[in-house]
Amino acid sequence: MRPLRSVRLARLQTAADEDLMELVRDGEARAFEVVFDRHAAAAFSLAYRICGSRARAEEVVQEAFLSLWRSGARYDRARGSVRAWILSVVHNRGIDALRRELAKEGRDIPDEQLAERRAAGEGTETLAERHDDARRVRSALTDLPPDQRRVIELAYFGGFTHSEIARMLELAPGTVKGRMRLGLTKLRLSLSAEGLVP
Amino acid sequence: MSEGEHMSEMTNCGGDVAAYALDALEPAEAEAFRRHLEQCEICRDELEALQGTVGALPMAAPQHPLPKHVRRRVMRTIHQESRVARAQSRPAWRRSPLRPVVAAAGAALVLAGAVVAGVELSGTSSPSRVIHAQVIGASGAAELRVSGARGELIVHHLTPPPPGHIYEVWLKSGQAAPVPASVLFGVSASGDADVGLPRSLRGVSQVMVSPEPDGGTPAPTTKPVIVVQLT
C-alpha cells in the first residue's frame, strides 16, 4: 500500500492547473510545487530571452514564482490560463529588470547593437524541443517578413515602446505600429491554422 | 513601405490595437486607446484575437532547462512559509490551556492591531501582511505585501506616468532623505504592475513611488503618487 502522502501527490500531479491554484490559495505548498514544475522551464526561458543574462533570468524567475505563491489568491480563472498568468508575470518582471539594468547603465534608450542582441534571442545550451507547439510558434514567427518580426520582438522581448523602436530603426511611429499589426495578424492566422490559438 | 503598411496608416481605428496588445504604446496613447475600446466593438474583438497571439509569444523563446538551484531555493522558501502560515492559522485554543480567554483576547488584539496600523491581514493561511497605500493625485489603488523584510508592491488601474517618465520606488527611513529602491516600473495597459522590492525593508518607515524621467533619478524630483506607511 502506498503511503497517503504519495497518493495525494500522485493526485496533484494529474490535477488541472486551475484546481491546483485553489489549493495554493489555501497555502498548499505541494500544489504549488506541481505548478512550478510544469511551468518553470518555460518561465526561465522567457526570462532568459528578455534579460539576455542567466543570472538575471534566475532572479526574475525566483522572484516571480515567490510573488505568485504569495499572491495565489489573485489568480482569476476567468481571465485566462494559469500558464498565461504565470508567463505574463514573468514577462513584466523581466522587462522591469531589463529597464533597471538600463537605468544603472545610465541610458534612456540602449544603442541599437544592445537592442539587437536582446532581440536576436541568442541561445546557448538550447534544449532539444520538448514541445512541438514551441517549435511551431517559433517557426510561425520566423516565417514573418523580417521587418514585421523585428518590431514584434523588440516590443515583446525587449520591452520597447513603438516610439523607442521608431527612433531605433529610424522609422515613422505609424510605420512601426502598422508593422506590429500586420505581423501579429499574420502570426495569428498561422497559429490559428495550426490550432494553437482560437 | 508595403501596400499593407500604407493601408494600416490610413486607418485610424485599430491602428493602435497591435501596439496596445504588445504593451508598446506610450502611456498617454494607451489611456486614450482604453477609452476608445469602451466604445469600439471592432477594436475589442481585434484586441482579443491579438492578445491570444501575444500570449503564445513566450513559446517562441529558445527553451532552456531551469537551473536546479533555482528550484531548490524557491521550494525551500515556500515550504518554510507554508509551515509558518499553518502554525499561525492553528486556532489559539489548540495551543493554550487558557483556551477561550486566549482565543478571544488574541482575536481582539489582531483586530485592534489591524485597525491601528492600517494593516489588513491577508487571510489566515497567508504568510504575508498587506498594507494599503495612499494614492495621491492619481487614480488607482496600491498595496504593499510584506513578507519578513521583503516587500512586493502591487498596483491596480494606476494612471500611467507622463510621457518620457517611469515610476521609481523610494525607501524612506525616519527623517532621512528617500533613497532609490532600485526599482523602476511602468504599468500595463490596464494600469497594473507587480514589482518585488530587492532591498530589505528593515528600518524603513515609508515606501514611496514618484514619476521620474525615463532611466530614473538618484533623488525624487516630483511628489510621490503612492505612499505606504510602514511604521
Side-chain angles (χ1 to χ4, degrees), chain B residues 8-175:
Chain B
S8 75
E9 289 210 59
M10 296 292 287
T11 312
N12 287 328
C13 182
D16 283 352
V17 70
Y20 184 84
L22 286 162
D23 203 12
L25 285 179
E26 297 299 338
E29 290 175 307
E31 183 61 41
F33 190 70
R34 263 194 295 278
R35 286 196 297 274
H36 171 71
L37 278 175
E38 288 169 11
Q39 297 157 5
C40 183
E41 193 179 344
I42 295 170
C43 282
R44 281 201 302 274
D45 288 346
E46 186 175 351
L47 177 65
E48 190 180 339
L50 295 187
Q51 278 176 329
T53 306
V54 171
L57 284 176
M59 284 198 279
Q63 296 298 297
H64 299 270
L66 179 78
K68 286 182 179 163
H69 62 264
V70 177
R71 185 184 193 284
R72 276 197 301 272
R73 284 204 296 254
V74 172
M75 290 308 139
R76 191 167 53 229
T77 305
I78 66 157
H79 282 288
Q80 274 170 357
E81 292 185 357
S82 176
R83 278 194 295 275
V84 170
R86 275 201 302 272
Q88 285 176 343
S89 64
R90 199 178 301 146
W93 58 267
R94 290 181 61 184
R95 288 178 269 142
S96 167
L98 301 170
R99 289 175 184 174
V101 177
V102 170
L109 278 173
V110 167
L111 262 177
V115 171
V116 170
V119 170
E120 174 194 296
L121 294 177
S122 57
T124 52
S125 63
S126 170
S128 58
R129 63 181 176 136
V130 175
I131 306 174
H132 295 295
Q134 275 183 280
V135 178
I136 307 154
S139 64
E143 62 190 32
L144 184 71
R145 191 170 290 259
V146 180
S147 181
R150 295 287 164 191
E152 178 190 6
L153 184 69
I154 299 147
V155 303
H156 298 292
H157 310 300
L158 185 67
T159 308
H165 287 65
I166 194 162
Y167 283 126
E168 183 160 5
V169 183
W170 308 97
L171 305 179
K172 190 171 189 315
S173 302
Q175 297 304 310

Side-chain angles (χ1 to χ4, degrees), chain A residues 27 33 37 45 58 62 67 69-70 74 96 100 103 108 124 127 161-163 175 177 179 181 188, chain B residues 5 9 16 24 26 29 46 53 58 63-64 69 71 73 79 81-82 145 152 182 194-195 214-215:
Chain A
E33 205 169 325
D37 287 339
S45 302
E58 288 178 8
Q62 182 174 324
S67 121
W69 158 250
R70 291 163 186 159
R74 292 209 312 277
D96 283 342
R100 280 202 299 275
D108 290 344
T124 53
L127 284 180
T161 65
H162 75 90
S163 314
T175 304
K177 287 183 190 174
R179 287 181 182 178
R181 190 180 187 190
R188 182 173 71 82
Chain B
E5 284 172 4
E9 289 210 59
D16 283 352
E26 297 299 338
E29 290 175 307
E46 186 175 351
T53 306
Q63 296 298 297
H64 299 270
H69 62 264
R71 185 184 193 284
R73 284 204 296 254
H79 282 288
E81 292 185 357
S82 176
R145 191 170 290 259
E152 178 190 6
S182 304
D194 184 337
V195 291
D214 277 342

